[in-house]
Amino acid sequence: MKSSHRTWRKDLPLSSDVAPTVLTDASTGEAKSQDTVVACSDPLIGSRSLIARSAKAAAATTVAALSAAGVAFVVNILMARLLGPAPRGGGAWVLQVAYVAVPALALGFDRSALRGEGSRSWRFVVHIWVVGAVFSIGSPAIFGQHVAVAFLIASGGALLAVERGVGMWANRLGRYLILQAAYLVWIGVASVLLFLFSVHDVDAWLAVYAVPSIFFFLIWLLSAFKQRSRLNPENGNYDWWKSYLHNVRYVPGGISAILAARVERLLLPFLASSAALGLYVSVATASEMLLWVAQGISESKVGQEVSSNISRGTVV
């Protein structure tokens, strides 16, 4: 058990986008947030603060999960009514590929962020756009344009996943909730408009899911230029290779978890037909609400446990 009484010095954060004030242990160089140091100095106050903020984080992520499930449920009904089983199945298959690709593009950074190893520095998510661009540009020649669209959709999903992990650990979910709310509002409004105008082209419906990734990329690019323009001695000291080797160990767990819930949807068009998937997914989507809520609560508990261990001075 490490002693919780340490000497801390205040360092400049990587950018104004980093929520917690960064404090560094003068003896070990270990970085922690200002709130964590307060928790270390007074365990009783720290425990109460962590419990209250973790409860808020759990409530926020639960509401976000319920909202996402509600939007998905409405869009699912609209697509099923307008497109019919076969086109609906084709569109659903592309979305399933995107969902499975999300943990692969995140490269485990979404999982490590939940454990307090994350950052809102532009470098922490640059791999998402690099890998997503490579697959989006290179896959049409081999797998067709729909797979390219799937990786474009997955890029936005991976960014949201990492942002959620960072926000959950820091108990500061404001930026994630804004991005998630904007994403859901766009999906819902655009889908309703497509339904009202009787757009039967499945590519138009898939474009609705792909457009937010472009805006997320522009936001990230602006943030990167903003951070790079600041005088920061750490800009050239980021060990990319070590970071990726450390985080990639979380990828198999993330992919296996999502495959367990979606593998039948990926295989159904090959085992039966796209129409069969269209009929199946119309019913299966309605049952996902509980899964998404459970995922939000479980991830908030991971962040709570990490924060609690740090407040007690233990190593996670």
Side-chain angles (χ1 to χ4, degrees), residues 153-307:
I153 296 172
S155 298
L159 179 70
L160 283 176
V162 174
E163 183 65 37
R164 183 180 64 233
V166 173
M168 282 182 176
W169 177 77
N171 281 324
R172 288 176 170 87
L173 288 161
R175 192 163 81 169
Y176 162 70
L177 293 175
I178 291 174
L179 292 175
Q180 179 74 354
Y183 176 81
L184 294 177
V185 169
W186 162 257
I187 296 293
V189 172
S191 298
V192 169
L193 290 176
L194 290 179
F195 179 80
L196 293 177
F197 286 96
S198 299
V199 178
H200 291 81
D201 185 3
V202 69
D203 291 338
W205 289 83
L206 292 176
V208 169
Y209 286 87
V211 166
S213 295
I214 299 175
F215 284 100
F216 290 161
F217 172 74
L218 294 177
I219 293 173
W220 170 82
L221 196 62
L222 180 62
S223 177
F225 279 119
K226 184 178 179 181
Q227 292 179 36
R228 292 285 294 178
S229 65
R230 290 193 174 96
L231 181 61
N232 186 355
E234 295 185 1
N235 276 336
N237 298 327
Y238 188 74
D239 193 337
W240 301 89
W241 183 245
K242 182 178 179 180
S243 180
Y244 293 143
L245 287 180
H246 172 74
N247 291 306
V248 75
R249 58 181 176 170
Y250 299 120
V251 174
I255 293 180
S256 61
I258 200 166
L259 276 178
R262 299 183 181 275
V263 65
E264 77 282 0
R265 307 182 195 190
L266 292 171
L267 297 178
L268 196 54
F270 303 100
L271 299 177
S273 64
S274 294
L277 176 59
L279 293 173
Y280 173 80
V281 78
S282 299
V283 179
T285 301
S287 64
E288 284 186 330
M289 297 182 69
L290 292 177
L291 176 63
W292 291 1
V293 173
Q295 179 183 3
I297 294 175
S298 64
E299 289 179 345
S300 68
K301 292 298 183 182
V302 173
Q304 177 183 354
E305 183 64 23
V306 172
S307 299

Side-chain angles (χ1 to χ4, degrees), residues 98-116:
Y99 296 148
V100 173
V102 164
L105 288 181
L107 289 179
F109 281 67
D110 55 330
R111 302 286 97 188
S112 66
L114 281 170
R115 291 161 172 82

Side-chain angles (χ1 to χ4, degrees), residues 6-236:
R6 295 180 178 178
T7 302
W8 302 88
R9 70 173 188 270
K10 187 172 181 178
D11 292 335
L12 292 175
L14 289 176
S15 74
S16 60
D17 295 329
V18 180
T21 301
V22 177
L23 297 167
T24 307
D25 189 332
S27 60
T28 65
E30 184 181 3
K32 286 187 172 53
S33 69
Q34 188 176 33
D35 293 333
T36 300
V37 177
V38 172
C40 289
S41 60
D42 193 329
L44 181 59
I45 295 177
S47 298
R48 290 176 178 174
S49 175
L50 286 171
I51 291 173
R53 293 176 63 187
S54 297
K56 292 180 180 179
T61 53
T62 301
V63 171
L66 282 172
S67 301
V71 171
F73 182 73
V74 172
V75 173
N76 176 58
I77 293 175
L78 297 179
M79 292 180 70
R81 286 176 60 86
L82 187 64
L83 298 181
R88 172 70 179 108
W93 187 82
V94 174
L95 293 178
Q96 305 314 307
V97 173
Y99 296 148
V100 173
V102 164
L105 288 181
L107 289 179
F109 281 67
D110 55 330
R111 302 286 97 188
S112 66
L114 281 170
R115 291 161 172 82
E117 302 164 5
S119 167
R120 280 180 173 148
S121 169
W122 66 274
R123 296 168 297 188
F124 196 66
V125 294
V126 64
H127 62 279
I128 294 176
W129 304 115
V130 173
V131 178
V134 169
F135 280 96
S136 296
I137 296 173
S139 59
I142 303 175
F143 303 106
Q145 65 176 5
H146 281 164
V147 175
V149 173
F151 277 100
L152 180 59
I153 296 172
S155 298
L159 179 70
L160 283 176
V162 174
E163 183 65 37
R164 183 180 64 233
V166 173
M168 282 182 176
W169 177 77
N171 281 324
R172 288 176 170 87
L173 288 161
R175 192 163 81 169
Y176 162 70
L177 293 175
I178 291 174
L179 292 175
Q180 179 74 354
Y183 176 81
L184 294 177
V185 169
W186 162 257
I187 296 293
V189 172
S191 298
V192 169
L193 290 176
L194 290 179
F195 179 80
L196 293 177
F197 286 96
S198 299
V199 178
H200 291 81
D201 185 3
V202 69
D203 291 338
W205 289 83
L206 292 176
V208 169
Y209 286 87
V211 166
S213 295
I214 299 175
F215 284 100
F216 290 161
F217 172 74
L218 294 177
I219 293 173
W220 170 82
L221 196 62
L222 180 62
S223 177
F225 279 119
K226 184 178 179 181
Q227 292 179 36
R228 292 285 294 178
S229 65
R230 290 193 174 96
L231 181 61
N232 186 355
E234 295 185 1
N235 276 336

